[in-house]
């Protein structure tokens, strides 16, 4: 099995290192000092489960790799529409694209069934720009329940979690999903093939849609947001509105708002990825987390006043960052 990791940052390099340990033919696409370190020393993983080094082929030119069986996509969703020149050399007729993406994916309504089957969301696939590069029929969904960070170029610190749930948009248990799942498991990771991955998407989204934008607006950690009474109530309302949108689409995740809040509080003084991006001056990945659900609320007729308010405020923040960068 030949795999390319496009966007081999903390999560991508961790997955690539695990697949390499399983005997897969793995190739990492990265750039800058991180690429130089991986070329020189391999991917060095520091983990409570045991440290290891994987000497994996790494490059900044996908043409050096050629067509592969699976592309594990570790890019931010904001980069998907522009990744055509990078991903094209990696594709053959049956190549799958496994997108480790938070939020609502561009393929959400592909194979969905019902009245919205095939619908395109402008917030995540504007004018079809993402679908033109990443054909929905190639997509395998992936929900990441692992936390990693780059401790230094070429050094991945694994903090917690090893589960990468995957699934086909049409809910089938395909041979390509089973093949990738088996390789991930052989590399020491959990990778269940879920018949309905959309439930996992909504469960993870409950936290991302609320904590991520609020953390950027308030410059607050998970613990700080949970312990502030007013903010905790706002987050609870956002989660409730999100579950109502999911239900309107026929998806009813088996989780309560209080359970989700309690789990977030236990995380402690963690800074969300959106807050980290804000502090580094990077684009905020809020369209797939928040704007998409507001758009879905409009499609389904669900009232989401709190989501709309937080979306307006965080969108203003994102616009200001883009203006300052320009």
């Amino acid at each position: 099995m030949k795999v390319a990791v496009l966007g081999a940052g903390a999560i991508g390099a961790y997955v690539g290192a695990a697949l390499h340990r399983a005997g897969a033919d793995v190739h990492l696409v990265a750039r800058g000092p991180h690429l130089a370190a991986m070329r020189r020393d391999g991917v060095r993983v520091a983990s409570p489960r045991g440290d290891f080094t994987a000497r994996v082929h790494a490059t900044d030119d996908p043409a050096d790799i050629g067509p592969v069986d699976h592309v594990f996509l570790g890019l931010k969703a904001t980069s998907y529409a522009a990744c055509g020149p990078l991903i094209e050399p990696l594709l053959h007729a049956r190549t799958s694209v496994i997108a480790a993406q938070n939020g609502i994916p561009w393929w959400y309504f592909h194979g969905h069934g019902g009245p919205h089957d095939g619908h395109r969301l402008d917030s995540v696939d504007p004018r079809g720009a993402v679908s033109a590069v990443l054909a929905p029929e190639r997509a395998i969904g992936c929900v990441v329940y692992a936390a990693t960070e780059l401790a230094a170029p070429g050094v991945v610190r694994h903090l917690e979690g090893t589960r990468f749930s995957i699934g086909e948009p049409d809910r089938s248990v395909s041979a390509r999903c089973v093949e990738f799942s088996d390789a991930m498991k052989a590399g020491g990771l959990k990778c269940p093939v879920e018949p309905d991955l959309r439930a996992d998407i909504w469960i993870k989204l409950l936290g991302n849609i609320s904590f991520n934008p609020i953390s950027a607006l308030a410059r607050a950690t998970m613990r700080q947001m949970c312990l502030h009474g007013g903010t905790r109530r706002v987050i609870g309302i956002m989660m409730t509105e999100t579950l109502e949108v999911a239900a309107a689409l026929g998806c009813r995740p088996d989780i309560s708002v209080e359970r989700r809040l309690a789990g977030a509080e236990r995380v402690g003084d963690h800074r969300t990825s959106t807050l980290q991006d804000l502090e580094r001056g990077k684009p905020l990945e809020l369209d797939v987390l928040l704007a998409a659900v507001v758009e879905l609320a409009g499609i389904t007729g669900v009232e989401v006043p709190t989501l709309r308010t937080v979306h307006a405020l965080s969108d203003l923040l994102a616009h200001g960052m883009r203006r300052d960068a320009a």
Side-chain angles (χ1 to χ4, degrees):
M1 185 180 81
K2 187 176 180 181
V3 182
V5 178
L6 181 55
I11 283 290
Y14 180 59
V15 167
L19 289 171
H20 178 78
R21 286 211 298 180
D25 179 14
V26 179
H27 305 264
L28 307 180
V29 181
R31 60 186 180 182
H34 181 49
L35 171 61
M38 291 191 295
R39 279 174 161 168
R40 183 182 64 248
D41 303 318
V43 179
R44 290 173 288 168
V45 177
S47 171
R49 306 172 73 234
D51 300 347
F52 69 96
T53 298
R55 297 197 173 276
V56 186
H57 174 242
T59 181
D60 59 0
D61 185 2
D64 291 343
I65 302 169
V68 299
D69 301 307
H70 304 281
V71 175
F72 185 87
L73 199 59
L75 301 171
K76 290 276 192 179
T78 51
S79 301
Y80 285 3
C83 78
L86 291 173
I87 201 167
E88 186 62 32
L90 303 173
L91 303 179
H92 59 58
R94 296 177 304 281
T95 302
S96 73
V97 175
I98 301 156
Q101 177 195 332
N102 287 326
I104 302 296
W106 82 99
W107 55 261
Y108 189 87
F109 287 115
H110 177 69
H112 184 274
H116 304 299
D117 188 64
H119 182 83
R120 179 179 58 79
L121 291 169
D122 287 328
S123 51
V124 301
D125 190 10
R127 297 175 298 281
V130 176
S131 292
V133 174
L134 304 172
E137 56 268 21
R138 292 191 183 274
I140 292 175
C142 179
V143 179
V144 178
Y145 295 96
T148 60
E149 63 182 15
L150 282 180
V155 181
V156 176
R157 179 178 291 122
H158 171 231
L159 303 173
E160 62 176 357
T162 60
R163 181 155 65 97
F164 294 76
S165 297
I166 63 172
E168 291 282 358
D170 67 0
R171 303 176 180 86
S172 65
V173 178
S174 65
R176 64 181 188 171
C177 276
V178 172
E179 177 186 57
F180 187 79
S181 171
D182 287 346
M184 291 280 276
K185 292 173 184 175
L189 303 179
K190 297 176 182 176
C191 189
V193 180
E194 301 289 354
D196 191 359
L197 190 72
R198 290 176 180 85
D200 285 65
I201 289 172
W202 285 102
I203 288 172
K204 187 166 186 187
L205 183 57
L206 278 187
N208 290 145
I209 198 173
S210 50
F211 287 109
N212 285 53
I214 296 291
S215 69
L217 292 168
R219 312 303 202 270
T221 67
M222 297 285 281
R223 181 174 177 274
Q224 289 168 337
M225 288 182 281
C226 288
L227 293 182
H228 186 270
T231 303
R232 187 183 182 104
R233 283 191 292 275
V234 169
I235 288 171
I237 293 169
M238 293 176 73
M239 289 183 177
T240 298
E241 291 180 355
T242 300
L243 288 173
E244 289 171 356
V245 175
L249 291 168
C251 191
R252 291 173 173 80
D254 184 21
I255 191 167
S256 71
V257 168
E258 267 311 311
R259 180 181 163 197
R260 195 67 180 82
L261 283 165
E265 187 175 341
R266 288 194 296 271
V267 171
D269 284 313
H270 169 72
R271 289 153 44 249
T272 70
S273 59
T274 302
L275 177 56
Q276 293 179 49
D277 286 343
L278 176 70
E279 293 170 343
R280 296 167 182 163
K282 294 183 177 181
L284 304 185
E285 194 182 29
L286 291 176
D287 285 345
V288 295
L289 300 182
L290 184 50
V293 179
V294 170
E295 185 178 349
L296 288 169
I299 293 169
T300 56
V302 176
E303 295 296 326
V304 290
T306 305
L307 290 179
R308 290 187 183 279
T309 299
V310 175
H311 174 241
L313 295 171
S314 57
D315 193 50
L316 177 62
L317 174 62
H319 274 291
M321 290 181 65
R322 288 195 292 270
R323 183 187 64 243
D324 293 345

